[in-house]
Amino acid sequence: MTNPLERLVEELRRLPGVGAKSARRLAYHLIEAEQEDVQRLVETIVAAKEATHRCSQCFNLSAQDPCEFCASSKRDKSMICVVETSRDVIAIERSGDYKGLYHVLEGALSPIDGVGVEDIRLKELMMRLQDDTVQEVIIATDPDVEGEATALYIARLLQPTGIKVTRIARGIPVGGDIEYADEVTLSGAVLHRQEMR
Ligand code: ZN
C-alpha cells in the first residue's frame, strides 16, 4: 500500500489542471500547514459540495432551486442563453450585459467521446420552450468542434418552432473556451450575436 502522502499526491493529480509537480507541491503544502487550516479547507469543500445542486429549470449550479437567475424577477424571461457548463454562466455574467435566463447543457455533443443527444440537456431545453415566453435562444457553446456541432444541432431542432436562434459572434478564438474568454471579448460576442438559419 502506498503511504498516505503519496496517496494525497495521487488524489490531487486527478483534479483538472493539476499536473504531477503541482500535485506534489499542494500535497506538501497541506501536510506542512496548520492542522486547523487543513480542517477548515476540508470542511469548506464538504459544505460547498453538500449545499450546491443543479437548478431544476436551467441546470445551473446553485445553493437554491430555482437558481438566482430563474428566481429573479429582474431577468428577461424572453431570452435563454444556452451554455455547456455552469462556469460559462459565470463568465457571461461577468461580461455584464446579458440579462436573460440560461440553460446549462452539461456538456456538448461528441460522438468520439460517446456523448449523444440524450446525454446533454436538450430535451429539457425543448420543454422550456413549450409556452410562448421565450422569443430568442442564444447559443453560447464553445467555438470548438463539439460546441459548433451542438450549436448546429440546436438550430435545426428549433427551426420548426419559429423561435429566433442566434449564435454568439466570433472573437472568441476557434477551439477556445467561453469560460476563459476575457470580459470585453465575451461582452462583444454576446452583443454581436448572429441569427442562425
Ligand atoms: Zn436556474
Side-chain angles (χ1 to χ4, degrees), residues 12-169:
L12 291 169
R13 248 191 101 166
R14 293 171 58 193
L15 298 173
V18 179
K21 269 189 189 169
S22 305
R24 187 159 298 280
R25 192 162 63 231
L26 286 168
Y28 278 76
H29 172 83
L30 289 169
I31 297 306
E32 286 165 352
E34 296 295 332
Q35 182 70 27
E36 62 185 74
D37 290 342
V38 175
Q39 196 64 39
R40 195 178 57 243
L41 175 63
V42 169
E43 282 163 12
T44 307
I45 293 171
V46 172
K49 175 71 181 160
E50 280 174 356
T52 310
H53 303 283
R54 294 218 174 259
C55 171
S56 57
Q57 292 174 28
C58 74
F59 303 96
N60 185 30
L61 288 172
S62 175
Q64 61 181 73
D65 186 19
C67 72
E68 53 272 39
F69 304 112
C70 292
S72 171
S73 59
K74 295 197 179 74
R75 306 295 297 204
D76 181 352
K77 292 184 167 43
S78 73
M79 286 178 156
I80 289 183
C81 180
V82 178
V83 295
E84 293 179 21
T85 73
S86 276
R87 302 184 303 277
D88 299 331
V89 171
I90 301 297
I92 292 173
E93 278 302 296
R94 231 184 268 133
S95 79
D97 295 322
Y98 182 68
K99 293 287 171 258
L101 299 180
Y102 291 97
H103 188 83
V104 179
L105 293 171
E106 293 188 60
L109 295 176
S110 177
I112 293 169
D113 301 315
V115 182
V117 173
E118 295 293 317
D119 301 310
I120 59 176
R121 302 278 183 187
L122 284 172
K123 201 170 54 202
E124 291 85 349
L125 173 63
M126 295 307 281
M127 296 282 283
R128 294 181 70 190
L129 306 176
Q130 296 272 309
D131 58 19
D132 294 332
T133 314
V134 178
Q135 306 292 314
E136 180 178 354
V137 170
I138 302 166
I139 305 177
T141 49
D142 288 338
D144 55 15
V145 176
E146 294 81 13
E148 293 295 354
T150 308
L152 278 175
Y153 186 87
I154 295 172
R156 280 196 206 117
L157 200 62
L158 295 190
Q159 203 167 32
T161 68
I163 295 170
K164 186 176 176 188
V165 179
T166 54
R167 179 86 171 103
I168 59 164

